[in-house]
């Protein structure tokens, strides 16, 4: 069988780099999307694009036909049930590989955080499917940094005392592709860290120095204030983001990336490299509902 990989969530902030790297590696890539025409305009030639919906079993099964594997990039309340449905169909159609983006913090002792609970049980469904899998558990992504700038202000929720080894989406995508060519990665759960540990405040400052040089200070927004603003006049995402960051103040960054680095090649892109590659280019700022913190959490 031709190695055709179905990518679910391929138009997302972290799904798109995987789709493009899979194609660059010579694999055949099929994207399951809601809006075929829009995706075709965005991706251009070289991708097979099919309509699909996690709630529509017939469309979902049609998208899987004649695929070697499926890469899953989901977020939000649909994630757990979506992955469970995907695993069922993958078993029915005898797919040979599942790859999935989870997070470093996903563990039984952290299921009190709703987004972690969803990913925890999604991982379980993949393992129980019996299909060879590779689960990627990245730390925070550099691509979330634009979310911390609003107008002429830059801010971080809470103190965030833990350094994070921020990861570039291109490094992550390269590692996903590498897993499809290395049998030693089968049934592995990989922790992914970037090459340098950075405090969140410092990362936002460095981002602002390149893209918003007029912003000289990164403020700390207390969690109680973010909750109050969200309750009175702010967007719901503000409270979600604050609660989310409050949880990670306690959890921090977890895991050892050595096995992933050995088998998949260590990430090479440092924050300054990432910033300067994008300097002078149109930086992708996620639209509403896309590229949220939940999409790219550790």
């Amino acid at each position: 069988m031709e190695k055709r990989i179905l990518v679910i969530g391929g138009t997302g902030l972290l799904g798109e780099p995987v789709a493009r790297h899979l194609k660059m590696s010579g694999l055949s890539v099929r994207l399951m999307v809601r809006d075929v025409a829009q995706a075709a305009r965005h991706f251009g030639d070289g991708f097979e694009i099919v309509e699909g919906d996690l709630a529509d079993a017939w469309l979902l099964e049609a998208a899987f036909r004649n695929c070697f594997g499926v890469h899953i990039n989901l977020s939000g309340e649909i994630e757990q049930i979506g992955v469970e449905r995907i695993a069922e169909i993958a078993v029915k159609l005898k797919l040979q590989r599942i790859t999935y983006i989870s997070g470093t913090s996903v563990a039984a002792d952290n299921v009190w955080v709703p987004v972690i609970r969803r990913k925890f049980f999604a991982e379980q469904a993949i393992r129980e499917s019996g299909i060879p899998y590779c689960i990627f558990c990245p730390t925070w992504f550099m691509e979330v940094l634009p979310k911390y700038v609003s107008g002429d202000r830059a801010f971080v929720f809470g103190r965030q005392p833990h350094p994070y080894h921020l990861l570039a989406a291109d490094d992550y995508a390269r590692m996903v592709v590498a897993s499809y060519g290395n049998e030693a990665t089968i049934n592995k759960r990989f922790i992914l860290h970037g090459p340098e540990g950075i405090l969140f405040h410092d990362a936002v400052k460095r981002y602002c120095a390149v893209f918003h040089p007029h912003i000289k200070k990164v403020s700390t927004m207390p969690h109680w204030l973010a909750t109050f603003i969200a309750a009175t006049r702010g967007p719901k995402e503000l409270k979600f983001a604050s609660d989310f960051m409050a949880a990670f103040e306690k959890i921090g960054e977890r895991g050892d990336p050595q096995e992933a680095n050995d088998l998949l090649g260590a990430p090479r892109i440092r924050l300054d490299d990432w910033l300067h590659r994008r300097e002078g280019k149109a930086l992708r700022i996620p639209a509403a509902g896309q590229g949220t913190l939940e999409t790219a959490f550790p």
Side-chain angles (χ1 to χ4, degrees):
M1 180 188 296
E2 177 189 15
K3 278 198 176 181
R4 177 184 291 110
I5 310 301
L6 174 66
V7 179
I8 297 178
T11 59
L13 190 67
L14 302 176
E16 181 177 343
V18 171
R20 294 194 182 279
H21 277 260
L22 285 167
K23 179 178 176 291
M24 286 190 292
S25 75
L27 291 168
S28 176
V29 180
R30 176 183 292 169
L31 303 174
M32 189 185 87
V33 302
R34 292 190 184 92
D35 189 328
V36 172
Q38 182 178 338
R41 287 192 298 270
H42 180 73
F43 281 92
D45 297 333
F47 293 90
E48 181 186 0
I49 301 174
V50 299
E51 182 182 2
D53 188 324
L54 292 172
D56 188 319
W58 187 88
L59 282 178
L60 193 57
E61 188 167 324
F64 274 74
R65 289 198 180 98
N66 300 316
C67 286
F68 172 85
V70 57
H71 177 72
I72 308 169
N73 178 71
L74 292 177
S75 63
E77 295 183 1
I78 189 63
E79 182 165 12
Q80 180 187 340
I81 191 168
V83 171
E84 290 170 350
R85 288 173 181 168
I86 289 166
E88 288 175 5
I89 294 175
V91 170
K92 180 178 180 180
L93 297 184
K94 297 182 170 59
L95 266 67
Q96 298 180 50
R97 192 72 53 87
I98 296 175
T99 53
Y100 170 64
I101 181 169
S102 186
T104 63
S105 58
V106 177
D109 61 324
N110 290 333
V111 296
W112 55 275
V113 182
V115 61
I116 292 177
R117 182 169 61 250
R118 289 193 287 269
K119 286 189 176 290
F120 180 82
F121 288 109
E123 285 193 24
Q124 181 174 296
I126 290 170
R127 285 191 293 269
E128 291 177 353
S129 73
I131 294 175
Y133 65 83
C134 191
I135 296 172
F136 298 91
C137 302
T139 183
W140 286 101
F141 280 92
M142 297 173 190
E143 282 71 13
V144 303
L145 293 176
K147 302 291 286 186
Y148 293 92
V149 177
S150 178
D152 292 329
R153 294 188 60 213
F155 61 92
V156 172
F157 296 109
R159 296 181 301 109
Q160 299 306 323
H162 307 291
Y164 290 95
H165 292 76
L166 298 181
L167 182 67
D170 279 337
D171 268 333
Y172 155 68
R174 176 186 55 77
M175 296 171 91
V176 173
V177 173
S179 74
Y180 279 95
N182 186 346
E183 295 295 309
T185 66
I186 288 177
N187 296 343
K188 296 281 189 179
R189 185 178 189 270
F190 290 117
I191 300 294
L192 308 184
H193 289 180
E196 58 181 343
I198 309 169
L199 291 172
F200 236 103
H201 284 79
D202 292 339
V204 176
K205 284 178 186 176
R206 286 158 68 175
Y207 168 77
C208 287
V210 174
F211 291 102
H212 304 279
H214 61 285
I215 298 178
K216 304 299 182 183
K217 179 182 178 182
V218 177
S219 302
T220 298
M221 183 180 291
H223 298 296
W224 67 264
L225 178 58
T227 300
F228 174 77
I229 293 172
T232 55
R233 64 181 186 275
K236 290 182 179 179
E237 187 179 310
L238 184 66
K239 183 179 186 304
F240 170 81
S242 178
D243 291 348
F244 198 63
M245 296 299 286
F248 287 102
E249 260 186 28
K250 299 175 183 178
I251 296 170
E253 184 178 68
R254 291 189 171 190
D256 183 350
Q258 192 59 55
E259 184 176 31
N261 293 348
D262 290 343
L263 290 176
L264 302 172
R268 299 184 294 267
I269 301 172
R270 296 177 177 272
L271 180 58
D272 286 342
D273 301 329
W274 183 86
L275 291 169
H276 291 301
R277 286 183 185 186
R278 285 154 178 77
E279 192 174 8
K281 298 180 180 179
L283 185 69
R284 179 177 176 185
I285 307 298
Q290 186 181 58
T292 62
L293 292 181
E294 184 170 348
T295 307
F297 87 101

